[in-house]
Amino acid sequence: MVSLVSRQGRQLQRYSDSGRRLVVGCIPYKFNIDKTSSEGVDERMEVLVISNQKGCGMMFPKGGWEKDETIKQAASREALEEAGVQGKIERKLGKWRYKSKSHDAFYEGIMFPLNVTEELVRWPEMDVRERRWVSVEEAKEGCQHPWMREALERLVRRLRHKSDST
């Protein structure tokens, strides 16, 4: 059973040794089965982007890593709450330091790929966020966070390398 309520508050929030809020996110992705395997990873792959809570912009699910969960559980929770998807969390893409757009603070963002296996019809933040499957190119052009674009580029390189070696 999936909870249809998002976590609220910061009482369980984790912080780095330097006092920065730890934020965990993921890049939900899937491969378009209508595309042939001769096409490149970039052309076959689709990523799920969400709007911010004000309904604009394009980004990947992310949020605070809390003390009662592992880092991968946090990434999965954010994908479920914000985008309504579940799947397999894969190896970390990296860690970035970035300035919050809404608070005068720097955060540490850690991103993972999420190979999507299920897309829910109802999810906790469906009334405050839009979600949309887009091409890699469209995500790169529209994503409002440079550090998220860099994480997407790392994911594409990783999947391209994996595809070349099989």
Side-chain angles (χ1 to χ4, degrees), residues 100-113:
S100 169
K101 291 188 178 206
S102 57
H103 298 92
D104 188 29
F106 282 93
Y107 295 162
E108 287 185 20
I110 304 149
M111 293 294 284
F112 293 87

Side-chain angles (χ1 to χ4, degrees), residues 116-132:
V116 173
T117 57
E118 184 177 7
E119 191 171 345
L120 304 174
V121 176
R122 299 187 51 74
W123 69 96
E125 296 186 19
M126 64 186 287
D127 293 332
V128 293
R129 294 187 191 274
E130 299 284 326
R131 70 177 179 190
R132 188 164 55 106

Side-chain angles (χ1 to χ4, degrees), residues 52-109:
N52 65 26
Q53 288 188 340
K54 295 179 182 118
C56 57
M58 186 185 289
M59 59 194 252
F60 298 114
K62 66 157 179 57
W65 176 16
E66 299 186 354
K67 294 175 183 175
D68 64 343
E69 61 192 352
T70 68
I71 195 167
K72 287 187 174 186
Q73 287 171 332
S76 291
R77 177 179 50 77
E78 290 299 334
L80 174 69
E81 289 178 357
E82 296 184 353
V85 291
Q86 295 180 306
K88 182 181 184 301
I89 295 285
E90 298 174 343
R91 185 170 43 95
K92 180 172 77 171
L93 293 165
K95 184 192 294 190
W96 291 264
R97 192 181 123 195
Y98 69 97
K99 186 165 183 351
S100 169
K101 291 188 178 206
S102 57
H103 298 92
D104 188 29
F106 282 93
Y107 295 162
E108 287 185 20

